[in-house]
Structures are given as C-alpha cells and as structure tokens.
C-alpha cells in the first residue's frame, strides 16, 4: 500500500476507483483520499493564450475544448474566473 501524501501515514485502505479506473485510497489517520500516481495535466501559458484568442472569436466552448485539448469542465471554470475578473461598468 502507498503512504499518504498528506500525513505520510501507512494506515491506508482501498476506497473505490476514480472515473478512469485507477484505484483510490483513503488514509485512516487523516482521512485524505488520493490516487497513487495522479496524472494531472498542467495547462501551459501558450494554451491559455490560444484559448483567450478563441474566446474572442465567439466559438462554442465545446469546440474550443476540442481544439485546445482541454476538458470542458476545466474550460468552463477558466472562463468563469476570467469573467469574474472583468470590471463591471454601467
């Protein structure tokens, strides 16, 4: 069994699977849930710049996600954060 990345405890039990079938674990000491070898994809600055340009072209979010090879939920969250940062004027 892997050790907990939070508290480095060794009291870890299986806790189901994530959406792609990887085993999920839960630490009995701190309660943290984790995957042994996560495959988090970092979106680089060049891809974010491409997404910003595509958003100005009024292309659908599904098309932008497909073209930039990012997930639709990540893209929606990115757009919401960008929209929240725009100053409001009447």
């Amino acid at each position: 069994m892997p050790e907990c990345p939070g508290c480095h405890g060794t009291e870890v039990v299986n806790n189901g699977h994530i959406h792609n079938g990887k085993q999920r674990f839960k630490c009995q000491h701190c309660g943290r849930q984790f995957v042994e070898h996560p495959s988090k994809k970092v979106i680089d600055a060049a891809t974010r710049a491409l997404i910003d340009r595509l958003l100005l072209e009024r292309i659908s979010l599904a098309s932008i996600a497909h073209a930039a090879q990012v997930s639709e939920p990540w893209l929606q969250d990115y757009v919401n954060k960008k929209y929240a940062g725009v100053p409001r004027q009447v």
Side-chain angles (χ1 to χ4, degrees), residues 24-36:
R24 181 172 44 205
F25 299 97
K26 183 174 183 180
C27 178
Q28 293 292 314
H29 185 261
C30 68
R32 179 175 175 168
Q33 296 182 23
F34 63 95
V35 176
E36 187 171 9

Side-chain angles (χ1 to χ4, degrees), residues 35-76:
V35 176
E36 187 171 9
H37 300 290
S39 58
K40 183 177 179 180
K41 180 182 173 187
V42 177
I43 312 299
D44 62 346
T47 304
R48 290 174 190 255
L50 171 67
I51 290 170
D52 290 343
R53 288 193 310 271
L54 292 174
L55 286 170
L56 293 174
E57 297 295 328
R58 298 178 49 102
I59 300 172
S60 71
L61 290 181
S63 297
I64 294 172
H66 181 72
Q69 297 178 344
V70 296
S71 69
E72 289 184 34
W74 179 89
L75 180 59
Q76 184 67 59

